[in-house]
């Protein structure tokens, strides 16, 4: 295939992705917790989402309506993670089964859009437990909101959710998730029904499941990073039994030369307005790769070969020191990198990066 030879590229191992999804769903299902597989980091590409489905996830979730639209033919219920834009409620109702909400105005608009489409749109009310991103902030506000939405015809309040460790870095625990459960009871009292969904967060909540500490009322987690990178995000730990190298960057060498490690001349600003500093290691063998900050942003990546040292880069170039590599590199050969969440997000949304899916095992 032509695109197999195209660089730079992100390679995606679908068999490993299925495995990670399987490990996470089995672990969580053991505690009565369903998994919404979060697809935003790979732009909702259906072939990749399918691997998560094959691994056993129970919902698909994405922050963008466009991505959920791309996945419209996949069979699982779809959750919109970012609060809907009021200007887009028609598409939200059309392409999403459930959306996360905190604004009465938007919920009223969703209800009208749903009635127009002869549908009932399900919503999860978001409460803010202190991380200070989205969510209704206290009991009083929750009560006022419920009074305004409880009789709407086009929507159904099916659950409550919260998001932590995103803006404020607040880690989920028994205390803050305890407040989530208390809010859930308040909603149930007003609506006179039991909530189907109590969603206790994202990949930062996994450590509580691992330690057997997750509150038993919580029955849904929305997991991106834990599945895609095999890491939990409260403490940054690797999740045992998962792969960390499902997504990798391969970039091609366009120059190899021996050069001194300190630039020659008066030092001003680099391409990004920072004043660089250098350590004198003498003459080193350097390679330039055809990938740059336009693709990766300023996020961290890690060479798979530990003897490759990243020196820096500019918009379109990544400069590495390959002096200590035992492998013989040449013009046109590639180097491989493991990715952090931010780097993966940038790369998967860059149109200059080719995406190559590999499947080492047959689909189950
Ligand atoms: C992105 C997102 C998630 C997934 O977060 P991970 O840390 O990748 O698991 C969950 N919930 C919401 C609301 C999100 O925006």
């Amino acid at each position: 295939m032509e695109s197999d030879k195209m660089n730079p590229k992100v390679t995606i191992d679908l068999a490993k992705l299925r495995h990670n999804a399987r490990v996470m769903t089995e672990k969580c299902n053991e505690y009565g917790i369903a998994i919404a597989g979060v697809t935003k980091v790979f732009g909702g590409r259906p072939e990749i989402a399918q691997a998560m489905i094959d691994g056993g996830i129970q919902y698909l979730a994405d922050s963008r309506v466009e991505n959920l639209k791309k996945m419209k033919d996949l069979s699982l219920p779809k959750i919109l993670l970012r609060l809907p834009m009021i200007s887009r409620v028609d598409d939200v109702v059309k392409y999403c089964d459930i959306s996360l909400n905190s604004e009465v105005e938007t919920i009223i608009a969703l209800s009208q859009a749903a009635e127009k489409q002869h549908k009932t749109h399900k919503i999860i009310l978001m409460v803010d437990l202190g991380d200070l991103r989205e969510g209704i902030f206290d009991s009083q506000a929750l009560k006022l909101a419920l009074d305004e939405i409880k009789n709407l015809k086009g929507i159904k309040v099916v659950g409550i959710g919260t998001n932590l460790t995103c803006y404020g870095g607040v880690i989920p625990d028994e205390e803050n998730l305890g407040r989530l459960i208390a809010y859930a009871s308040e909603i149930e009292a007003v609506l006179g029904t039991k909530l189907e969904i109590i969603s206790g967060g994202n990949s930062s909540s996994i450590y509580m499941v691992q330690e057997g500490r997750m509150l038993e009322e919580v029955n849904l987690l929305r997991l991106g990073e834990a599945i895609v990178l095999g890491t939990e995000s409260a403490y940054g730990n690797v999740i045992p039994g998962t792969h960390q190298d499902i997504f990798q960057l391969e970039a091609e060498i366009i120059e190899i030369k021996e050069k001194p490690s300190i630039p020659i001349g008066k030092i001003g600003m680099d391409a990004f307005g920072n004043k660089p500093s250098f350590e004198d290691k003498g003459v080193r063998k350097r390679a330039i790769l055809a990938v740059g900050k336009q693709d990766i942003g300023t996020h961290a990546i890690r060479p798979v070969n530990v003897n490759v040292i990243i020196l820096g880069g500019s918009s379109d170039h990544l400069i590495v020191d390959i002096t200590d590599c035992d492998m013989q590199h040449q013009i046109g050969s590639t180097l491989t990198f493991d990715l952090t969440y931010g780097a993966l997000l940038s790369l998967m949304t860059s149109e200059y990066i080719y995406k190559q899916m590999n499947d080492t095992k047959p689909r189950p």
Side-chain angles (χ1 to χ4, degrees), residues 155-182:
I155 58 118
K156 180 169 187 224
V157 180
V158 293
I160 185 170
T162 194
N163 201 57
L164 290 160
T165 339
C166 265
Y167 171 74
V170 174
I171 291 175
D173 59 22
E174 286 83 352
E175 192 281 318
N176 50 34
L177 291 185
R179 280 187 281 134
L180 178 74
I181 309 305

Side-chain angles (χ1 to χ4, degrees), residues 272-339:
F272 292 90
N274 305 309
K275 191 166 174 140
S277 62
F278 303 94
E279 185 192 343
D280 193 357
K281 293 173 153 184
V283 170
R284 307 283 293 179
K285 193 200 265 185
R286 300 152 70 99
I288 300 179
L289 301 171
V291 70
K293 290 185 183 164
Q294 180 167 6
D295 312 294
I296 308 166
T298 50
H299 308 286
I301 60 175
R302 290 178 304 274
V304 168
N305 182 334
V306 294
N307 294 319
V308 171
I309 305 160
I310 295 177
L311 296 173
S314 53
S315 306
D316 304 295
H317 301 85
L318 182 67
I319 308 169
V320 296
D321 182 327
I322 54 170
T323 315
D324 301 330
C325 286
D326 25 21
M327 247 172 75
Q328 213 41 58
H329 293 293
Q330 53 200 18
I331 300 301
S333 61
T334 60
L335 292 179
T336 305
F337 299 84
D338 285 324
L339 305 170

Side-chain angles (χ1 to χ4, degrees), residues 38 40 81 100 133-134 163 202-203 222-225 341:
V38 174
K40 64 193 182 199
L81 293 172
L100 309 187
R133 204 177 74 178
E134 74 275 46
N163 201 57
N202 53 44
S203 297
R222 312 174 306 268
L223 300 183
E225 179 172 337
Y341 191 86

Side-chain angles (χ1 to χ4, degrees), residues 231-281:
T231 48
E232 60 80 39
S233 54
Y235 300 100
N237 293 324
V238 161
I239 299 169
T242 62
H243 300 287
Q244 281 71 52
D245 58 354
I246 298 174
F247 293 80
Q248 291 183 312
L249 169 67
E250 259 181 58
E252 183 171 322
I253 298 176
I254 54 175
E255 181 185 294
I256 301 178
K257 294 201 188 303
E258 309 239 333
K259 295 186 186 182
S261 25
I262 299 207
I264 299 135
K266 192 159 174 274
I267 309 283
M269 304 282 195
D270 67 13
F272 292 90
N274 305 309
K275 191 166 174 140
S277 62
F278 303 94
E279 185 192 343
D280 193 357
K281 293 173 153 184

